[in-house]
Amino acid sequence: DVRLSGDLVVEEEAVRSLLLIEQGQVFSREVMTASSDLITRRLGNEGYTFANVNAVPEVHEEDRTVSVNFFVDPGKRAYVNRIDFRGNTKTDDEVLRREMRQMEGGWASTHQIDRSKSRLEQLGFFKEVNVETLPVPGVDDQVDVNFTVEEQPSGSVTASLGFAQGTGLILGGSISQNNFFGTGNRVSFSANRSEYQTALSFGFVDPYFTVDGVSLGYNAFYRTTDYDRLNVDVSSYAVDSYGAGFNFGYPVSDTSRLNFGLSVQNDKVKTGTFTVKEIIGFLDEEGDNFNSLKFSTGWSQSTLNRGVFPDRGHSQSVRFETTLPGSDLSFYSVDYRAQKYFRMSDDLTLRLHSDLGVVKNYGSTSQVPFFEHYYVGGIGSLRGYRDSSVGPRSTPSDLDPDRDALPFGGNIKVAGGAEVIFPLPFVQDQRSMR
């Protein structure tokens, strides 16, 4: 049989539900020890950090059976004296402290301390996060919790310089920083300029716009193309666009949140020499200059163990976006993305991922705008295919019927994949390469 004795502190049923060993099983010391560890952890969640659970087997030689008695000594409930951080030379102390689920002054919960560690790992600012719980000298019911982090680059700066026949000099640059000056805010800016095209974009997200985790983000972009400066006439079409928007994120739980956004956008379509029939037909019916007011809402969830290069957990998101009354075009889209990591061994991890979407027209708009189509193909989408090459293709232009049909995209997307993640040879630090 299996018995419990001592001061259980929590309900006996809750403790018994943690026992992996039960009457009638073949006795296993490993299973008995694992049961003790689970009970100890359960008591730790209630603040009994120094609990001791001792499993004592009593062997009955005559019938080759064992009686196991789990003796529970919870000790005193421990409270957190201080929470300290070490190693964060760039990141503000406040950025780490706001991720804490264990509070100073509260009882020391093993679950809340582990959850705090996971929250720090999910930020993506640190290569590694370690935590230790130390007794306060001279006191038998207080502990200090020390987090040690190893910071890693959380942004990128890129610059490009090129020259192409027909388009001339090409200049580009971008800055992306997920931990802007150590504040935890995300900032991105990019600029590209060539003889015929200019593109600018800016984005900002404050993940803690309010102290309880409501985020605020806003963005703006400008992109224009001038065919008069383009010395080759092979383009199908181009869209000059500019717009701006903002969004709020509201935490539903520690792992999921709701998002709401509003944006305004102007799109002006420019045709090239070999614009295909589908585009010409759409422009003849709908015009070539469109103003849109868009509303979006979505839900996302993540249990990934790290913000960069995770190898455990899952994430998923669903997003609905629609144009509002007053827009020149009427359409909506629904997108779903998901990924899950499975530990196959100590060195191998399986990743499954999917990307689904549908965009539909409604009201007075007779068909889905071609510049809202989905495209699949290329690295990050479907390896082994050229960028955007998978899916429907257009009808060739009347001016050059022998020209190959171009990828035209579609209004439904179903994509997915499976990947195996494995260690790189001759690389000591596997945490920042994959």
Side-chain angles (χ1 to χ4, degrees):
D1 62 356
V2 181
R3 297 190 299 270
L4 294 170
S5 60
D7 186 5
L8 300 184
V9 184
V10 296
E11 294 180 2
E12 182 173 342
E13 274 192 30
V15 177
R16 284 199 173 275
S17 67
L18 301 173
L19 294 176
L20 303 177
I21 188 171
E22 58 186 35
Q23 188 175 357
Q25 282 182 340
V26 174
F27 175 76
S28 165
R29 187 171 294 275
E30 182 181 11
V31 174
M32 182 183 71
T33 303
S35 298
S36 297
D37 292 342
L38 287 174
I39 298 172
T40 302
R41 187 174 182 82
R42 177 68 175 84
L43 295 175
N45 291 345
E46 300 297 325
Y48 296 93
T49 306
F50 306 114
N52 181 33
V53 179
N54 188 23
V56 181
E58 180 185 350
V59 180
H60 307 293
E61 295 286 356
E62 63 278 4
D63 59 357
R64 303 174 65 84
T65 63
V66 178
S67 296
V68 181
N69 179 36
F70 290 90
F71 182 80
V72 179
D73 177 16
K76 282 189 175 182
R77 175 173 273 177
Y79 294 82
V80 174
N81 176 48
R82 286 183 57 84
I83 297 177
D84 292 315
F85 304 99
R86 301 169 183 171
N88 54 315
T89 56
K90 301 176 183 177
T91 307
D92 294 346
D93 187 84
E94 177 192 358
V95 175
L96 282 71
R97 198 164 292 278
R98 67 194 185 189
E99 300 297 333
M100 293 296 99
R101 295 305 178 257
Q102 172 66 61
M103 297 292 106
E104 291 179 340
W107 73 60
S109 167
T110 304
H111 172 71
Q112 298 293 8
I113 293 173
D114 288 346
R115 185 65 193 136
S116 300
K117 177 177 180 289
S118 296
R119 297 278 301 188
L120 294 179
E121 291 173 328
Q122 290 169 354
L123 288 175
F125 305 160
F126 311 112
K127 280 186 180 181
E128 190 171 17
V129 179
N130 293 307
V131 60
E132 57 180 350
T133 304
L134 303 175
V136 176
V139 184
D140 61 357
D141 64 348
Q142 291 186 22
V143 296
D144 288 333
V145 181
N146 297 328
F147 290 91
T148 303
V149 301
E150 182 182 350
E151 293 195 301
Q152 66 180 354
S154 55
S156 63
V157 178
T158 64
S160 60
L161 172 66
F163 182 86
Q165 184 179 2
T167 60
L169 190 66
I170 303 170
L171 297 172
S174 68
I175 299 173
S176 174
Q177 179 56 259
N178 290 332
N179 186 16
F180 190 64
F181 289 133
T183 62
N185 296 334
R186 296 189 289 272
V187 177
S188 62
F189 174 78
S190 68
N192 291 278
R193 181 76 174 95
S194 66
E195 286 291 323
Y196 78 100
Q197 190 176 65
T198 299
L200 301 169
S201 67
F202 171 78
F204 174 86
V205 177
D206 181 354
Y208 277 83
F209 179 64
T210 66
V211 293
D212 51 357
V214 174
S215 63
L216 170 65
Y218 43 87
N219 62 85
F221 70 93
Y222 172 80
R223 183 175 58 251
T224 183
T225 303
D226 185 357
Y227 276 119
D228 291 338
R229 293 181 176 273
L230 187 61
N231 297 325
V232 289
D233 52 1
V234 297
S235 295
S236 173
Y237 74 95
V239 181
D240 290 354
S241 302
Y242 60 88
F246 67 91
N247 61 80
F248 285 98
Y250 183 82
V252 179
S253 68
D254 247 9
T255 59
S256 62
R257 61 194 299 115
L258 295 173
N259 299 284
F260 305 93
L262 194 66
S263 63
V264 293
Q265 182 172 329
N266 174 267
D267 298 298
K268 184 176 182 180
V269 180
K270 292 182 177 181
T271 58
T273 303
F274 300 108
T275 302
V276 298
K277 293 179 180 179
E278 289 86 350
I279 295 176
I280 295 295
F282 180 88
L283 299 180
D284 287 343
E285 186 170 349
E286 302 289 349
D288 62 0
N289 197 336
F290 313 105
N291 292 308
S292 300
L293 177 62
K294 297 180 180 180
F295 169 77
S296 64
T297 183
W299 171 82
S300 60
Q301 180 190 52
S302 175
T303 63
L304 300 178
N305 63 326
R306 285 196 293 269
V308 178
F309 292 155
D311 58 11
R312 197 168 62 249
H314 73 273
S315 67
Q316 58 181 332
S317 65
V318 60
R319 183 174 185 265
F320 171 78
E321 183 178 64
T322 182
T323 55
L324 297 178
S327 302
D328 293 330
L329 296 173
S330 301
F331 60 91
Y332 65 88
S333 62
V334 181
D335 296 279
Y336 175 79
R337 292 185 176 183
Q339 61 176 341
K340 186 172 178 61
Y341 293 85
F342 299 88
R343 183 66 64 88
M344 300 167 62
S345 69
D346 289 342
D347 294 330
L348 298 178
T349 300
L350 174 67
R351 174 182 180 248
L352 302 179
H353 58 94
S354 62
D355 188 359
L356 313 175
V358 58
V359 55
K360 297 285 288 182
N361 55 290
Y362 70 93
S364 60
T365 302
S366 60
Q367 56 183 299
V368 174
F370 59 89
F371 48 85
E372 295 289 340
H373 281 176
Y374 294 112
Y375 291 87
V376 171
I379 294 175
S381 173
L382 189 60
R383 293 184 180 89
Y385 291 86
R386 294 180 183 274
D387 288 347
S388 306
S389 64
V390 179
R393 291 178 174 268
S394 61
T395 304
S397 169
D398 288 337
L399 296 179
D400 191 358
D402 296 328
R403 182 181 295 273
D404 291 339
L406 299 172
F408 195 61
N411 66 323
I412 295 176
K413 175 174 61 172
V414 180
E419 302 170 356
V420 173
I421 302 164
F422 56 90
L424 289 169
F426 313 115
V427 176
Q428 289 186 346
D429 190 352
Q430 298 283 339
R431 297 168 298 175
S432 56
M433 297 186 72
R434 169 162 293 184

